[in-house]
Amino acid sequence: GAVVSQHPSRVICKSGTSVKIECRSLDFQATTMFWYRQFPKQSLMLMATSNEGSKATYEQGVEKDKFLINHASLTLSTLTVTSAHPEDSSFYICSARDQAGNYNSPLHFGNGTRLTVT
Amino acid sequence: GESVGLHLPTLSVQEGDNSIINCAYSNSASDYFIWYKQESGKGPQFIIDIRSNMDKRQGQRVTVLLNKTVKHLSLQIAATQPGDSAVYFCAENLTGRRALTFGSGTRLQVQP
């Protein structure tokens, strides 16, 4: 149980275009999902917290107009990288916690999306 | 700011040996800790967790130790196998915060 699915797994786009990444919880509902970014050989850095039915909460230094988050249902959150630039190339990973679980329970991660901006 | 960090960036062990991966944390307000395993090109995979009211927890071939006095967390893997080769991250959950904060990671290399 507690599977998080992320799509696409890889995407290559041209500079200036936008890319949408989907994150789905397959067997549980999640009012909150978390988007992380990981650069090569580095750790995961929290970008934003996606809240179902309300605005996302962004970490300091993350541009909300560049990384648009929509959490339209209890099983789907999307991250759109707008006007992508080469420096946005990274590994984006979403995660969620079964809403029935308390905060002291594991986050379940998707398999990530490798974004390359040319 | 307060953060979670690791002592060793790379650990190389022989197949069959026991592995110990260490993690130091600085936030005394953290009340929950998790170890994740990440293979190349994949998302983190849950290994084991521990709450701050415990000092030891065992799973299958893995043990997590928590020393709150010195703010230290370790992951012990018994009889390490080639399939254990990956990057291991500790993560902490600050009291009342929903997201996890990750440490810098340790790469475990298992030599056959």
Side-chain angles (χ1 to χ4, degrees):
Chain A
V3 176
V4 175
S5 175
Q6 199 171 331
H7 178 80
S9 58
R10 289 178 178 271
V11 59
I12 301 172
C13 70
K14 292 186 176 181
S15 188
T17 62
S18 295
V19 173
K20 179 185 283 188
I21 302 169
E22 292 188 348
C23 179
R24 295 180 185 273
S25 56
L26 297 187
D27 51 0
F28 66 100
Q29 293 182 325
T31 54
T32 305
M33 291 185 175
F34 305 94
W35 288 94
Y36 288 82
R37 179 169 54 184
Q38 185 178 32
F39 292 106
K41 299 184 179 181
Q42 294 189 22
S43 187
L44 285 76
M45 298 298 295
L46 180 67
M47 298 177 63
T49 300
S50 173
N51 304 298
E52 189 266 336
S54 64
K55 292 183 179 180
T57 305
Y58 291 82
E59 295 299 299
Q60 191 173 8
V62 178
E63 300 176 56
K64 60 178 173 43
D65 294 330
K66 181 168 187 59
F67 299 99
L68 300 180
I69 290 173
N70 183 273
H71 194 148
S73 76
L74 288 172
T75 59
L76 173 64
S77 175
T78 61
L79 169 67
T80 301
V81 183
T82 63
S83 186
H85 291 282
E87 57 265 30
D88 298 325
S89 297
S90 189
F91 193 51
Y92 293 86
I93 316 172
C94 71
S95 65
R97 183 182 283 121
D98 186 332
Q99 67 171 356
N102 60 46
Y103 295 161
N104 287 343
S105 60
L107 284 179
H108 305 286
F109 285 84
N111 266 331
T113 297
R114 173 75 59 195
L115 171 63
T116 303
V117 184
T118 61
Chain B
E2 300 190 28
S3 63
V4 177
L6 292 177
H7 296 301
L8 298 173
T10 303
L11 177 64
S12 184
V13 300
Q14 292 291 321
E15 181 178 357
D17 287 352
N18 296 334
S19 303
I20 300 176
I21 301 172
N22 297 301
C23 177
Y25 67 95
S26 57
N27 195 325
S28 58
S30 295
D31 57 3
Y32 178 63
F33 304 88
I34 305 179
W35 281 100
Y36 284 94
K37 172 186 180 182
Q38 186 179 29
E39 297 177 272
S40 181
K42 295 185 177 180
Q45 176 186 355
F46 170 80
I47 300 174
I48 193 168
D49 59 358
I50 189 167
R51 301 189 180 189
S52 59
N53 60 353
M54 303 172 67
D55 53 20
K56 180 179 181 179
R57 191 161 187 228
Q58 289 185 291
Q60 188 177 11
R61 283 202 305 121
V62 294
T63 301
V64 56
L65 299 177
L66 174 63
N67 186 330
K68 294 180 288 295
T69 301
V70 295
K71 297 190 183 69
H72 185 267
L73 192 68
S74 68
L75 175 69
Q76 300 178 2
I77 304 174
T80 313
Q81 302 168 0
D84 294 327
S85 294
V87 177
Y88 289 79
F89 292 97
C90 64
E92 64 177 328
N93 193 10
L94 301 181
T95 302
R97 184 166 166 80
R98 296 175 293 173
L100 293 175
T101 300
F102 280 77
S104 55
T106 293
R107 178 172 298 280
L108 177 64
Q109 296 177 333
V110 182
Q111 308 297 329

